[in-house]
Coordinates of all heavy atoms in Angstrom, one line a residue:
A125 N 4.6 -10.0 -11.0 CA 3.7 -11.0 -10.3 C 2.9 -11.9 -11.3 O 2.7 -13.1 -11.0 CB 2.8 -10.3 -9.3
E126 N 2.5 -11.3 -12.4 CA 1.7 -12.0 -13.3 C 2.6 -13.1 -14.0 O 2.2 -14.3 -14.2 CB 1.1 -11.2 -14.4 CG 0.0 -10.2 -13.9 CD -0.4 -9.2 -14.9 OE1 0.5 -8.7 -15.7 OE2 -1.6 -8.8 -14.9
R127 N 3.9 -12.7 -14.3 CA 4.8 -13.7 -14.9 C 5.0 -14.8 -13.9 O 5.1 -16.0 -14.3 CB 6.2 -12.9 -15.2 CG 7.2 -13.8 -15.9 CD 8.4 -13.0 -16.2 NE 9.4 -13.8 -17.0 CZ 10.3 -14.6 -16.5 NH1 10.4 -14.8 -15.2 NH2 11.1 -15.3 -17.3
T128 N 5.2 -14.5 -12.6 CA 5.4 -15.6 -11.6 C 4.2 -16.5 -11.6 O 4.3 -17.7 -11.5 CB 5.7 -14.9 -10.3 OG1 6.8 -14.1 -10.3 CG2 5.8 -16.0 -9.2
E129 N 3.0 -15.9 -11.6 CA 1.8 -16.7 -11.6 C 1.7 -17.7 -12.8 O 1.3 -18.9 -12.7 CB 0.6 -15.9 -11.5 CG 0.4 -15.2 -10.2 CD -0.7 -14.0 -10.3 OE1 -1.3 -13.9 -11.4 OE2 -0.9 -13.4 -9.2
L130 N 2.0 -17.2 -14.0 CA 1.9 -18.0 -15.2 C 3.0 -19.1 -15.2 O 2.7 -20.3 -15.6 CB 2.1 -17.2 -16.4 CG 1.0 -16.1 -16.7 CD1 1.3 -15.4 -18.0 CD2 -0.4 -16.9 -16.8
L131 N 4.2 -18.8 -14.7 CA 5.1 -19.9 -14.5 C 4.8 -20.9 -13.5 O 5.1 -22.1 -13.6 CB 6.6 -19.3 -14.2 CG 7.2 -18.5 -15.4 CD1 8.4 -17.8 -15.0 CD2 7.5 -19.5 -16.6
A132 N 4.1 -20.5 -12.5 CA 3.5 -21.4 -11.5 C 2.5 -22.4 -12.1 O 2.4 -23.6 -11.8 CB 2.9 -20.7 -10.3
L133 N 1.7 -21.8 -13.0 CA 0.7 -22.6 -13.8 C 1.5 -23.7 -14.6 O 1.1 -24.8 -14.7 CB -0.1 -21.8 -14.7 CG -1.4 -21.2 -14.2 CD1 -2.1 -20.4 -15.3 CD2 -2.3 -22.4 -13.7
Y134 N 2.6 -23.2 -15.2 CA 3.4 -24.2 -16.0 C 3.9 -25.3 -15.1 O 3.8 -26.5 -15.5 CB 4.6 -23.5 -16.7 CG 5.6 -24.4 -17.2 CD1 5.3 -25.1 -18.4 CD2 6.7 -24.8 -16.5 CE1 6.2 -26.0 -18.9 CE2 7.6 -25.8 -17.0 CZ 7.4 -26.4 -18.2 OH 8.2 -27.3 -18.7
D135 N 4.5 -24.9 -14.0 CA 5.1 -25.9 -13.1 C 4.0 -26.9 -12.6 O 4.3 -28.2 -12.6 CB 5.7 -25.3 -11.8 CG 6.9 -24.4 -12.2 OD1 7.5 -24.7 -13.2 OD2 7.2 -23.4 -11.5
R136 N 2.8 -26.5 -12.4 CA 1.8 -27.4 -11.9 C 1.4 -28.3 -13.0 O 1.2 -29.5 -12.8 CB 0.6 -26.5 -11.4 CG -0.6 -27.4 -10.8 CD -1.6 -26.5 -10.2 NE -2.7 -27.3 -9.5 CZ -3.7 -27.8 -10.1 NH1 -3.9 -27.6 -11.5 NH2 -4.6 -28.5 -9.5
G137 N 1.2 -27.8 -14.2 CA 0.7 -28.6 -15.3 C 1.8 -29.6 -15.7 O 1.5 -30.7 -16.0
A138 N 3.1 -29.2 -15.7 CA 4.2 -30.1 -16.0 C 4.3 -31.2 -15.0 O 4.7 -32.3 -15.3 CB 5.5 -29.3 -16.1
T139 N 4.0 -30.9 -13.7 CA 4.1 -31.9 -12.7 C 2.9 -32.9 -12.8 O 3.1 -34.1 -12.7 CB 4.0 -31.3 -11.3 OG1 5.2 -30.4 -11.2 CG2 4.1 -32.3 -10.2
I140 N 1.7 -32.4 -13.1 CA 0.5 -33.3 -13.1 C 0.5 -34.1 -14.4 O 0.2 -35.3 -14.4 CB -0.8 -32.4 -13.0 CG1 -0.9 -31.8 -11.6 CG2 -2.0 -33.3 -13.3 CD1 -2.0 -30.8 -11.5
G141 N 1.0 -33.4 -15.5 CA 1.0 -34.2 -16.8 C -0.4 -34.2 -17.4 O -1.3 -33.5 -17.0
G142 N -0.6 -35.1 -18.4 CA -1.9 -35.2 -19.0 C -1.8 -36.2 -20.2 O -0.7 -36.7 -20.6
L143 N -2.9 -36.4 -20.9 CA -3.0 -37.3 -22.0 C -3.6 -36.5 -23.2 O -4.4 -35.6 -23.0 CB -3.9 -38.5 -21.7 CG -3.4 -39.4 -20.6 CD1 -4.5 -40.5 -20.3 CD2 -2.1 -40.1 -21.1
D144 N -3.2 -36.9 -24.4 CA -3.8 -36.4 -25.6 C -4.3 -37.7 -26.3 O -3.6 -38.3 -27.0 CB -2.8 -35.7 -26.4 CG -3.5 -35.0 -27.7 OD1 -4.7 -35.2 -27.9 OD2 -2.8 -34.2 -28.3
G145 N -5.5 -38.0 -26.0 CA -6.0 -39.3 -26.4 C -5.4 -40.4 -25.6 O -5.6 -40.4 -24.4
T146 N -4.6 -41.2 -26.2 CA -3.9 -42.3 -25.4 C -2.4 -42.0 -25.3 O -1.6 -42.7 -24.7 CB -4.1 -43.6 -26.1 OG1 -3.5 -43.5 -27.5 CG2 -5.5 -44.0 -26.2
T147 N -2.0 -40.8 -25.8 CA -0.6 -40.4 -25.8 C -0.3 -39.5 -24.5 O -1.0 -38.6 -24.3 CB -0.2 -39.6 -27.0 OG1 -0.5 -40.4 -28.2 CG2 1.3 -39.2 -27.0
T148 N 0.7 -39.9 -23.8 CA 1.1 -39.1 -22.6 C 1.9 -37.9 -23.0 O 2.8 -37.9 -23.8 CB 2.0 -40.0 -21.7 OG1 1.3 -41.2 -21.3 CG2 2.4 -39.2 -20.5
L149 N 1.4 -36.7 -22.5 CA 2.0 -35.4 -22.9 C 3.4 -35.3 -22.2 O 3.6 -35.8 -21.1 CB 1.1 -34.3 -22.5 CG -0.3 -34.2 -23.1 CD1 -1.0 -33.0 -22.4 CD2 -0.2 -34.1 -24.6
T150 N 4.3 -34.7 -22.9 CA 5.6 -34.4 -22.2 C 5.4 -33.3 -21.2 O 4.4 -32.6 -21.2 CB 6.6 -33.8 -23.3 OG1 6.1 -32.6 -23.8 CG2 6.8 -34.8 -24.4
P151 N 6.2 -33.2 -20.2 CA 6.0 -32.1 -19.2 C 6.0 -30.7 -19.8 O 5.2 -29.9 -19.3 CB 7.3 -32.3 -18.3 CG 7.6 -33.7 -18.4 CD 7.3 -34.1 -19.8
L152 N 6.8 -30.4 -20.8 CA 6.8 -29.2 -21.5 C 5.4 -28.9 -22.1 O 4.8 -27.8 -21.9 CB 7.8 -29.1 -22.6 CG 7.8 -27.8 -23.4 CD1 8.1 -26.6 -22.5 CD2 8.8 -27.8 -24.5
V153 N 4.8 -29.8 -22.8 CA 3.6 -29.6 -23.5 C 2.4 -29.5 -22.4 O 1.6 -28.6 -22.5 CB 3.3 -30.7 -24.5 CG1 1.8 -30.6 -25.0 CG2 4.3 -30.6 -25.7
A154 N 2.4 -30.4 -21.5 CA 1.4 -30.3 -20.4 C 1.5 -29.0 -19.7 O 0.4 -28.4 -19.4 CB 1.6 -31.5 -19.4
G155 N 2.6 -28.5 -19.4 CA 2.8 -27.2 -18.7 C 2.3 -26.0 -19.5 O 1.6 -25.2 -19.0
L156 N 2.7 -26.1 -20.8 CA 2.3 -25.0 -21.7 C 0.8 -24.9 -21.9 O 0.2 -23.9 -22.0 CB 3.1 -25.1 -23.0 CG 4.6 -24.8 -23.0 CD1 5.1 -24.8 -24.4 CD2 4.9 -23.4 -22.3
R157 N 0.2 -26.1 -22.0 CA -1.2 -26.1 -22.1 C -1.9 -25.5 -20.9 O -2.9 -24.8 -21.0 CB -1.7 -27.6 -22.3 CG -1.5 -28.2 -23.6 CD -2.3 -29.4 -23.9 NE -2.0 -30.0 -25.1 CZ -2.6 -31.1 -25.7 NH1 -3.5 -31.7 -24.9 NH2 -2.3 -31.6 -26.8
S158 N -1.4 -25.7 -19.7 CA -1.9 -25.1 -18.5 C -1.8 -23.6 -18.6 O -2.7 -22.8 -18.2 CB -1.2 -25.6 -17.3 OG -1.5 -26.9 -17.0
V159 N -0.6 -23.1 -19.1 CA -0.4 -21.6 -19.2 C -1.4 -21.1 -20.3 O -2.1 -20.0 -20.0 CB 1.0 -21.4 -19.7 CG1 1.1 -19.9 -20.1 CG2 2.0 -21.7 -18.6
I160 N -1.6 -21.7 -21.4 CA -2.5 -21.2 -22.5 C -3.9 -21.1 -22.0 O -4.6 -20.1 -22.1 CB -2.3 -22.0 -23.7 CG1 -0.9 -21.9 -24.3 CG2 -3.3 -21.5 -24.8 CD1 -0.6 -23.0 -25.3
E161 N -4.4 -22.2 -21.3 CA -5.7 -22.3 -20.9 C -6.0 -21.2 -19.8 O -7.0 -20.5 -19.8 CB -6.1 -23.7 -20.3 CG -6.1 -24.7 -21.4 CD -6.1 -26.1 -20.8 OE1 -6.4 -26.2 -19.5 OE2 -5.9 -27.1 -21.5
G162 N -5.0 -21.1 -18.9 CA -5.1 -20.0 -17.8 C -5.2 -18.6 -18.4 O -6.0 -17.8 -18.0
V163 N -4.3 -18.3 -19.4 CA -4.4 -17.0 -20.0 C -5.7 -16.7 -20.7 O -6.3 -15.7 -20.6 CB -3.2 -16.8 -21.0 CG1 -3.4 -15.6 -21.8 CG2 -1.9 -16.7 -20.1
L164 N -6.1 -17.7 -21.5 CA -7.4 -17.6 -22.3 C -8.6 -17.5 -21.4 O -9.7 -17.0 -21.8 CB -7.5 -18.7 -23.2 CG -6.4 -18.8 -24.4 CD1 -6.8 -19.9 -25.4 CD2 -6.3 -17.4 -25.1
M165 N -8.6 -17.9 -20.1 CA -9.7 -17.8 -19.2 C -9.5 -16.6 -18.3 O -10.4 -16.3 -17.4 CB -9.8 -19.0 -18.4 CG -10.3 -20.2 -19.1 SD -11.9 -20.0 -19.9 CE -12.9 -19.8 -18.5
S166 N -8.4 -15.8 -18.4 CA -8.2 -14.7 -17.6 C -9.1 -13.5 -18.0 O -9.2 -13.2 -19.2 CB -6.7 -14.3 -17.7 OG -6.5 -13.0 -17.0
P167 N -9.6 -12.7 -17.0 CA -10.3 -11.5 -17.4 C -9.4 -10.5 -18.2 O -10.0 -9.7 -19.0 CB -10.6 -10.9 -16.0 CG -10.6 -12.1 -15.1 CD -9.6 -12.9 -15.6
D168 N -8.1 -10.6 -18.0 CA -7.2 -9.6 -18.7 C -7.2 -10.0 -20.3 O -6.8 -9.2 -21.0 CB -5.8 -9.7 -18.1 CG -5.7 -9.1 -16.8 OD1 -5.7 -7.8 -16.7 OD2 -5.7 -9.8 -15.8

């Protein structure tokens, strides 16, 4: 279930996207950033 939740975070981040300064993030990078941030804020 945790693996599924983290991949859902990736999907959401990849869909929303993001910017690094003025550079548009690729879906992969935007999604992985969501995963990393989610894990680092997790109580686990």
Side-chain angles (χ1 to χ4, degrees):
E126 292 172 325
R127 184 179 188 272
T128 300
E129 291 170 356
L130 292 180
L131 288 172
L133 268 181
Y134 168 81
D135 292 335
R136 184 173 184 274
T139 300
I140 295 175
L143 295 173
D144 188 352
T146 59
T147 304
T148 300
L149 300 177
T150 66
L152 175 63
V153 170
L156 290 185
R157 285 193 182 186
S158 292
V159 171
I160 297 164
E161 292 168 13
V163 167
L164 296 184
M165 291 301 295
S166 169
D168 291 282

